Amino acid sequence: MEYKTELHCHSRDASGCSSESAEGIVRKYTEAGYTTVCLTNHFCPDSKDDDDAAWEAKVDKLYRAYDILTEAADGRLTILMGMELRFSQNSNDYLVFGFDRDYLMTHREIHKMGIGNYIKMAREDGLLTIQAHPFRNGMTVTDPRRVDGIEVFNGHPGHNSRNDVAELWAKQAGVIMTSGTDHHNPDHLPDGGIITDAPVTSVTQLIDLLKSGEYTLIK
């Protein structure tokens, strides 16, 4: 049996650019035969990041969206926590897995670090970092030594992510390759992710799988 996992999904509960409800996500992904969805809502720099209460509210919003989707799934889908992280230096986005709420609460400087300083810390702390849609307009190409992987298929219908270029770049660099729907809106059907021989039920398992290469890309 094959199991499908979405690696790039947004909900309106934490991503301002999304209009999709938790119920809509559950309905579409179960109908499409997925067993796991990684919720990767945006986590972007803000002028209030230095304020303790504002930072806590920002983290709470990210996790509240996860709780809403988990409740809506009601066991029909496994929901895993991720985020789409952006630094203050540019508009690049990175899919990050392996953190928890306490980690974000104690790393309030994360947006200011830049990819170079961040990746040293992230690897030491067991986080996995994938550059999302690296060749979309407005992106800056990151040295592949500063990421663990590259999203080589991004299914967002409103952007040209130049997936063919991203895949060539990732193969040349020899890094992890991922795929994601970049799901945002009710009219966007799931079209990305990975296929595995066993269900993905934890972030730790997901990280190990991506490092092993024992999966097939959906694209």
Side-chain angles (χ1 to χ4, degrees):
M1 187 172 178
E2 295 181 336
Y3 299 86
K4 297 164 71 174
T5 297
E6 174 64 79
L7 299 179
H8 194 164
C9 180
H10 299 269
S11 72
R12 68 187 185 191
D13 299 300
S15 286
C17 54
S18 173
S19 59
E20 181 63 285
S21 67
E23 293 77 12
I25 291 171
V26 173
R27 182 182 67 255
K28 285 192 293 189
Y29 278 93
T30 53
E31 288 177 354
Y34 285 73
T35 54
T36 304
V37 171
C38 297
L39 187 63
T40 53
N41 279 316
H42 291 287
F43 199 64
C44 299
D46 186 273
S47 60
K48 298 179 180 179
D49 283 348
D50 291 330
D51 178 82
D52 289 351
W55 181 262
E56 184 172 1
K58 181 175 184 169
V59 174
D60 284 346
K61 183 177 182 180
L62 195 71
Y63 271 88
R64 178 57 181 157
Y66 169 79
D67 291 340
I68 291 171
L69 183 55
T70 301
E71 182 177 353
D74 193 25
R76 291 173 288 169
L77 285 170
T78 296
I79 308 302
L80 301 183
M81 187 64 172
M83 65 176 170
E84 189 167 6
L85 175 65
R86 180 176 292 184
F87 302 105
S88 56
Q89 289 82 2
N90 54 45
S91 297
N92 285 357
D93 294 310
Y94 302 89
L95 301 174
V96 179
F97 304 100
F99 61 91
D100 59 18
R101 187 184 185 281
D102 289 341
Y103 190 89
L104 293 182
M105 287 300 300
T106 56
H107 289 79
R108 300 184 183 191
E109 78 290 354
I110 194 167
H111 292 305
K112 302 176 182 178
M113 297 182 73
I115 188 62
N117 291 322
Y118 158 82
I119 197 65
K120 296 175 185 177
M121 176 190 75
R123 286 171 174 165
E124 289 175 357
D125 295 341
L127 277 61
L128 190 77
T129 306
I130 309 292
Q131 185 173 13
H133 45 72
F135 292 96
R136 182 183 290 181
N137 288 351
M139 301 294 104
T140 300
V141 177
T142 299
D143 184 334
R145 293 173 295 183
R146 292 184 168 183
V147 293
D148 300 310
I150 291 171
E151 186 179 57
V152 302
F153 176 84
N154 180 286
H156 196 302
H159 294 277
N160 180 2
S161 295
R162 300 177 178 85
N163 293 323
D164 53 343
V165 179
E167 184 167 357
L168 288 172
W169 180 252
K171 287 179 177 178
Q172 181 177 342
V175 297
I176 293 169
M177 295 189 291
T178 70
S179 163
T181 299
D182 200 359
H183 176 271
H184 280 78
N185 300 314
D187 60 350
H188 189 186
L189 296 177
D191 61 0
I194 60 172
I195 296 173
T196 56
D197 293 332
V200 178
T201 59
S202 72
V203 172
T204 300
Q205 180 193 10
L206 173 66
I207 291 173
D208 289 342
L209 271 169
L210 292 176
K211 288 181 176 179
S212 74
E214 295 178 357
Y215 57 90
T216 301
L217 297 173
I218 302 171
K219 53 180 181 176

